[in-house]
Amino acid sequence: SLPLVAGEERGGKIAEVVGGQLKLPLAITAFKAQVKVILEDFFANPEYKETAEQLEALKESRFGHEVVKRVLVMSLEKKDAEREMASVLLSGLTRVYGSEQFFEGFIRTLRGIDDLALDTPNVCHVLANFVARAIADDVLPPVFISLVPKRIVESGRGKEVSALVHGLLDQHGSSARIMNVWGVGSRRSVSELKESVSALVEEYYVEGELEEAVRCVRELGVPHFGHEVVKRAVYCAIERGEKEMRMALALLKELQKTQVMDHVQLTKGMGRAVAGLSDLCLDVPNAAERLRMLADWLAFENLVSPSFEQAVQRKAAQGRGAPLTPEAVSMHGTHVAEEYLVCESGRDAAQSIEDLRAGELCADLVCRVLAVSLEKPQRERDMLCSLVSSLVQRGAVECSQAEAGVDMLVKQIDDLLIDVPKAVEYVGGIVAHLLEDHVLPEGFLSSLPLVAGEERGGKIAEVVGGQLKLPLAITAFKAQVKVILEDFFANPEYKETAEQLEALKESRFGHEVVKRVLVMSL
């Protein structure tokens, strides 16, 4: 349009300048076109794993939000059966794209809701279902709606979506309802799927046909439900005996080998088996020993983390009423870390910690999770730092416990350096990450020389200073708020005070203003 807007000559020159500075078509334009083709093929032929691999092969994870948005927008024109497929695909894509991409993709879709309503009158109900289902699938955090910009959800259709999502999440038995949010016509119910899984597992242990069992699992066509196959196969084997336990090992090994089930589902299934051990022991007194043995076999085959064997022992000890020890809690921290690196489910990790009921010993768990991260590559180190932040946000770990855990880690710096030569650098990165996530107070930096010694504590502080701009935005904000409120209590000009606070342009930290007002009023 440039020649039409600016005239043939000048418009053409502007276009030449643009062409000289940019490679056209833009990377995102080409990416959108490729994604459109891949998703059209997916809705015609729903191969979840193949679709995820094709999208990953584009090597544009920074544009993941466009994939999320395209999946949602294309689903608006589909029936509930295809919308169920879309929800399952989004859940699977958490292995390809980071959580921030899903967050941004959903927000961009909500931002365009008025335009979408022109072609899809019931767009509010459809998007609310997608949001609720994504929360249930751990694709979005439970507090997603509260994190959406207020201008989107405080009026119009955005407000309607917000109300519908809260309505779905607040219902009694919401998890089961949300998993079937696209209706019984779009998918088999959870109970029907469980019956199918039980039948194929029973048949396998009676007939002993490994290939037939693998074929039946494949034909279920629900890769996201593989964890139920694992749990049912494990429990049935434990109830029957060692012969069936070896058959269970063979089945799980073959499901992995043939790629009918991915590692995430196997890990989730074993996690569920461990979580339900107490009930199983009521019917099978030696269930803990049998499950520990099976976990040992699976670890030997490199199918699960060795930490599962320790998790079984801890669960069995809990069942006997044995008191938790710092060592046992630390071992659980290893299990939580390893399982999270496979499943990337903050919800499962939080539930596991809440079930442990470790109280103040949560500090030992946090310390262990972060210690495990020191032996991992950068990406996994960042993931485990984000896990600690997530646990605090979900309320599974208190801020004070997280801080105590980091403090314990820093105190071990001399021992850590023996096995991890770059421990100072890595611990500095962890502290920086948790400071930025507001898990640690900025005052934690001043304690480093006291905790780790003048030299090493100083070096850790240097690493933090190199990665973060200090003081942190929230620290500077608190100082400004303190001055404004002190002036207000001396000279109560309500309108002027409100204007001064608004001028700080930090509405995301409004909770700090409220807290400061209340504390100063005491």
Side-chain angles (χ1 to χ4, degrees), residues 33 46 56 89 217 240 280 317 327:
E56 187 172 19
L89 178 63
V217 174
R240 291 167 180 259
L280 185 61
E327 293 74 18

Side-chain angles (χ1 to χ4, degrees), residues 137-169:
D137 286 340
D138 216 24
V139 173
L140 294 175
V143 294
F144 169 73
I145 288 295
S146 67
L147 301 176
V148 176
K150 290 184 178 179
R151 66 180 181 278
I152 296 177
V153 293
E154 285 194 343
S155 62
R157 293 185 175 89
K159 185 176 182 179
E160 185 177 347
V161 171
S162 175
L164 289 168
V165 171
H166 284 301
L168 286 167
L169 296 175

Side-chain angles (χ1 to χ4, degrees), residues 384-403:
L384 292 176
C385 286
S386 296
L387 170 62
V388 172
S389 299
S390 173
L391 294 174
V392 171
Q393 183 184 23
R394 292 170 185 271
V397 173
E398 298 290 338
C399 259
S400 59
Q401 294 166 346
E403 183 178 352

Side-chain angles (χ1 to χ4, degrees), residues 5 15 28 49 52 99 154 191 256-258 276 294 304 323 334 363 406 437 514:
V5 175
I28 194 167
K49 185 178 179 185
S99 57
E154 285 194 343
S191 59
Q256 288 279 289
K257 180 181 175 183
T258 55
L294 183 55
V304 300
T334 301
V406 179
D437 287 352
V514 176

Side-chain angles (χ1 to χ4, degrees), residues 237-238 240-248 290 293 297:
I238 288 173
R240 291 167 180 259
E242 187 170 337
K243 175 189 171 185
E244 285 76 10
M245 286 167 60
R246 294 195 179 279
M247 290 176 69
R290 288 183 176 182
M293 186 185 300
W297 294 347

Side-chain angles (χ1 to χ4, degrees), residues 350-368:
Q351 188 61 56
S352 174
I353 291 169
E354 288 171 2
D355 290 344
L356 190 65
R357 297 174 186 171
E360 291 303 317
L361 291 178
C362 278
D364 295 83
L365 186 143
V366 169
C367 178
R368 187 59 198 154

Side-chain angles (χ1 to χ4, degrees), residues 320-379:
R320 295 192 298 270
L324 279 173
T325 64
E327 293 74 18
V329 173
S330 291
M331 286 192 339
H332 192 72
T334 301
H335 174 68
V336 167
E338 296 291 354
E339 186 173 354
Y340 180 75
L341 291 176
V342 174
C343 299
E344 297 185 34
S345 174
R347 181 177 61 181
D348 288 350
Q351 188 61 56
S352 174
I353 291 169
E354 288 171 2
D355 290 344
L356 190 65
R357 297 174 186 171
E360 291 303 317
L361 291 178
C362 278
D364 295 83
L365 186 143
V366 169
C367 178
R368 187 59 198 154
V369 168
L370 297 175
V372 168
S373 77
L374 298 180
E375 301 171 355
K376 304 293 182 182
Q378 181 66 49
R379 177 178 175 275

